[in-house]
Amino acid sequence: MNEEEMTDLGDAETPFLESMPQERKNEEEEDIISTSIGEYGRWQLMLTFLLSLLNIPCTWHIFSPTFHARDMDTWCARPSQFADVDAELWRNYTQPTGYCSIIDTSYINVSSSGISILPGAVEVPCTNWEFGGDGDTIISEFSLLCDRKQLNNLAEMMFLGGVAIGGLASGVISDKYGRKKTLIASVLIQTFLGVSIAFAPWFEMYFILRAMLGFISVSVVFSGFVLSIEIVGGFWRTVAGISYLFPVSLSYVMISGIAYQIRDWRQLQLAISLPGILFSIYWWVIPESPRWLLAMGRHQEVMTILQRAAVMNKRELPLNLDKQLLPANTKIQTESVGIMDLFKTPKMRKITLLLFVIWFSVYLVYYGLVLNVGNIGGDLYVNSILSGLVEVPAIAISILFLLKCGRKWPLALTMKFAGIACLLTVPIPYIFSDVQWLITSSAMTGKFLISSSNAVMPVFTAELFPTTIRNIGVGASNVSAGMALMIVPYLWEMAMFHDCVPMAIVGVCGVIGGTCVLFLPETGNAPLKDTLGDEDTDNENTSSTVDLNRV
């Protein structure tokens, strides 16, 4: 690929191309898709932007339980004969040990002078509650209090379990039937389930629908992500892959504002679900991944997509492109893929198993810190906005790191240093006194670093798997991430042994995960592999070249 053919990529890429070693240029020439339409142009810009917007409703659904089950002022309800009694007065006199129990009403006397409790009064379990504030929550509507309190945590575990299973299932479906079909079907089902939750008459129905929603939402995220990086080439995969996550941070801010205005959980659920209908127009806008079509041997469909892309990118397709798209052998057209292909060769087994550990570690550290930050107190809506905004610079910096340093070292170092920052919170109380700010600063440093890891990890993972099993690989990695998510709600209960145990576990996981990254090959800006055969024959040479260039 000479420099004249790359002029449409903009002046910003010219220095990169001029400094690119000859070996790397030869590798880029092997990418027929990028050679034909350019690594990044108007066509790719439009599609990657539209695909990134799919993160908005997905993030809303993931984060919505924070507001569905928000804390409200709660007290045991007043019987009809005491309906005129001031709520604050009633709570103070009749519920000395909290709202889970109340003084037997036969021992309560109300007079003009106030409330008095007769001698010999006993407490009985409370079965009905009243709530202060605006709107209803699932806590108030389904009475998820006292002995039913754990049902809310169980519901979230089921949602996250759905995420774990859905990532793998959607990967298999997407790699078999295509990114576009899986994506659009998942978006429509997600919208239907989201609206259905708003009308759930019982908590059991809410419970089941949330589990199904988790299964589908992860399919939307992964299918859109894989499609985004498969339509671009070279170092633009880094930019597109990381930029795909920007709406996630902004979505935290958006749902916080929506929830602040809409306090009723059913109305809020409708507000975040109905906009999903708008994404149905993507069926006529978003094309199938040309790389996936090429890997499946569907060359005529690839030609049609590339012709449209070339017009939008203002490029001329090679005259013999149709012949260049033909595979060197027929294996590409008939290759049947499945989960076991992740373990088919020694190299693939190594990559798959290491990624399982890495995804588990990143999610445990990231969400472990998010949960800890959520317990700092203060206004729920302000804290949610700040937690979203703090990730924007972390994601932006990740792009610069990846462009300059490849994938492996930024991921390894951010994970390791995040783990070290968490471990530093353990000895601080024994060395200093009254330095809560130092503990908080160390934890926030860890969260900033692991946010960068969380942005780098999907890009690196997608590049490590060939096209034919890329979605399966990303989805399978998400299974271990889902296991970490289900553990996180109970991680902080380990503090019963010692206050430092939760952060120590989080820190050790960060260090272990960062160490595992070092055993993976560098992918850099090397062309994406299409089949397992390409992975076996080319990956070692590519990774070796990239590492030498980075050094």
Side-chain angles (χ1 to χ4, degrees):
M1 185 186 302
N2 55 47
E3 292 179 10
E4 292 179 357
E5 292 175 324
M6 299 294 292
T7 53
D8 69 315
L9 298 179
D11 296 337
E13 192 178 355
T14 301
F16 176 84
L17 292 171
E18 291 176 348
S19 62
M20 185 187 298
Q22 185 62 41
E23 292 86 354
R24 175 60 53 78
K25 291 182 180 180
N26 292 337
E27 290 169 356
E28 295 297 343
E29 289 175 355
E30 297 175 3
D31 186 350
I32 187 62
I33 303 296
S34 297
T35 303
S36 303
I37 63 174
E39 293 177 348
Y40 198 82
R42 295 180 181 177
W43 184 72
Q44 290 96 332
L45 174 62
M46 178 192 73
L47 293 181
T48 52
F49 172 75
L50 291 176
L51 289 169
S52 71
L53 296 181
L54 292 168
N55 281 293
I56 295 177
C58 292
T59 305
W60 286 352
H61 287 304
I62 292 171
F63 201 54
S64 61
T66 302
F67 305 103
H68 284 178
R70 73 179 192 276
D71 289 334
M72 298 180 70
D73 202 12
T74 307
W75 60 91
C76 201
R78 293 162 290 184
S80 57
Q81 65 269 32
F82 301 121
D84 295 332
V85 177
D86 178 74
E88 186 68 22
L89 189 65
W90 171 261
R91 179 170 57 180
N92 291 339
Y93 276 89
T94 65
Q95 301 159 49
T97 59
Y99 56 71
C100 287
S101 61
I102 185 174
I103 299 294
D104 191 327
T105 55
S106 61
Y107 292 89
I108 300 174
N109 183 40
V110 177
S111 63
S112 57
S113 59
I115 297 178
S116 60
I117 307 298
L118 301 178
V122 295
E123 292 188 47
V124 295
C126 185
T127 57
N128 192 24
W129 293 269
E130 295 180 40
F131 302 88
D134 299 327
D136 286 328
T137 66
I138 61 172
I139 304 297
S140 63
E141 185 167 336
F142 300 128
S143 298
L144 303 181
L145 298 159
C146 304
D147 58 340
R148 287 172 56 86
K149 187 175 183 179
Q150 290 301 319
L151 290 178
N152 185 47
N153 291 333
L154 184 60
E156 274 316 286
M157 278 193 63
M158 291 300 297
F159 175 86
L160 298 172
V163 169
I165 300 172
L168 179 59
S170 67
V172 174
I173 296 171
S174 179
D175 282 334
K176 185 173 183 179
Y177 298 104
R179 286 43 166 146
K180 178 180 176 179
K181 290 180 180 178
T182 305
L183 176 65
I184 302 302
S186 298
V187 168
L188 295 176
I189 297 173
Q190 180 189 56
T191 302
F192 172 77
L193 291 174
V195 172
S196 298
I197 289 173
F199 296 98
W202 318 288
F203 178 72
E204 291 76 11
M205 181 64 72
Y206 175 91
F207 181 101
I208 295 171
L209 291 175
R210 281 286 298 173
M212 296 170 63
L213 185 63
F215 183 95
I216 291 296
S217 293
V218 71
S219 176
V220 175
V221 173
F222 283 171
S223 297
F225 171 75
V226 171
L227 183 52
S228 291
I229 67 168
E230 286 185 346
I231 61 177
V232 300
F235 81 94
W236 288 103
R237 287 204 308 269
T238 300
V239 179
I242 301 297
S243 299
Y244 180 79
L245 300 176
F246 271 118
V248 172
S249 302
L250 299 178
S251 297
Y252 289 125
V253 179
M254 295 170 67
I255 190 174
S256 300
I258 296 172
Y260 182 80
Q261 296 295 327
I262 305 175
R263 300 300 178 99
D264 184 85
W265 79 269
R266 292 186 184 274
Q267 295 179 19
L268 174 63
Q269 183 63 32
L270 279 177
I272 65 176
S273 299
L274 290 175
I277 298 174
L278 299 176
F279 290 105
S280 60
I281 64 175
Y282 277 23
W283 177 260
W284 295 277
V285 178
I286 302 296
E288 181 55 89
S289 166
R291 297 184 192 277
W292 179 82
L293 290 172
L294 186 61
M296 294 295 105
R298 295 159 62 174
H299 312 107
Q300 189 56 49
E301 294 175 65
V302 176
M303 279 294 301
T304 301
I305 293 173
L306 294 185
Q307 287 169 353
R308 295 173 182 172
V311 171
M312 194 167 184
N313 284 352
K314 298 182 178 179
R315 291 182 65 99
E316 292 290 336
L317 293 177
L319 295 178
N320 61 340
L321 178 59
D322 55 339
K323 296 181 179 179
Q324 295 181 45
L325 292 176
L326 294 176
N329 54 68
T330 59
K331 183 181 293 187
I332 295 178
Q333 301 179 39
T334 60
E335 185 173 11
S336 178
V337 297
I339 297 175
M340 295 310 298
D341 285 305
L342 298 176
F343 308 93
K344 192 172 186 178
T345 66
K347 190 179 301 180
M348 277 278 72
R349 284 196 295 273
K350 174 184 173 182
I351 290 174
T352 300
L353 294 175
L354 286 172
L355 286 173
F356 284 173
V357 177
I358 294 166
W359 277 66
F360 180 91
S361 301
V362 169
Y363 271 58
L364 187 72
V365 177
Y366 178 80
Y367 286 100
L369 290 175
V370 167
L371 179 61
N372 189 39
V373 171
N375 293 330
I376 62 175
D379 185 85
L380 169 64
Y381 303 95
V382 174
N383 288 344
S384 299
I385 290 173
L386 293 177
S387 70
L389 291 177
V390 75
E391 293 192 22
V392 175
I395 295 175
I397 292 174
S398 298
I399 296 178
L400 299 177
F401 282 162
L402 291 182
L403 292 179
K404 296 294 184 181
C405 309
R407 278 74 162 136
K408 181 166 70 174
W409 284 103
L411 179 57
L413 293 178
T414 52
M415 286 188 69
K416 278 195 171 185
F417 283 119
I420 292 172
C422 293
L423 289 174
L424 287 176
T425 64
V426 175
I428 287 177
Y430 299 99
I431 301 175
F432 306 98
S433 60
D434 298 326
V435 283
Q436 180 59 43
W437 65 271
L438 189 57
I439 296 176
T440 302
S441 297
S442 184
M444 287 298 96
T445 300
K447 184 177 185 296
F448 179 84
L449 290 167
I450 203 63
S451 295
S452 177
S453 303
N454 193 42
V456 174
M457 182 177 62
V459 176
F460 192 27
T461 301
E463 291 179 344
L464 285 167
F465 291 107
T467 300
T468 52
I469 60 170
R470 182 163 297 122
N471 252 28
I472 295 177
V474 175
S477 301
N478 184 68
V479 173
S480 64
M483 294 177 181
L485 287 173
M486 289 187 284
I487 292 173
V488 165
Y490 301 97
L491 175 65
W492 299 100
E493 293 185 6
M494 299 295 290
M496 63 183 291
F497 299 106
H498 195 283
D499 291 341
C500 71
V501 171
M503 287 299 283
I505 294 175
V506 168
V508 169
C509 284
V511 174
I512 292 175
T515 302
C516 288
V517 175
L518 298 177
F519 293 95
L520 291 172
E522 174 66 85
T523 57
N525 296 311
L528 294 177
K529 305 303 176 184
D530 288 328
T531 67
L532 284 169
D534 293 337
E535 182 68 26
D536 290 336
T537 57
D538 297 336
N539 195 64
E540 286 293 342
N541 293 334
T542 300
S543 61
S544 176
T545 301
V546 174
D547 284 338
L548 288 173
N549 292 334
R550 294 302 178 191
V551 175

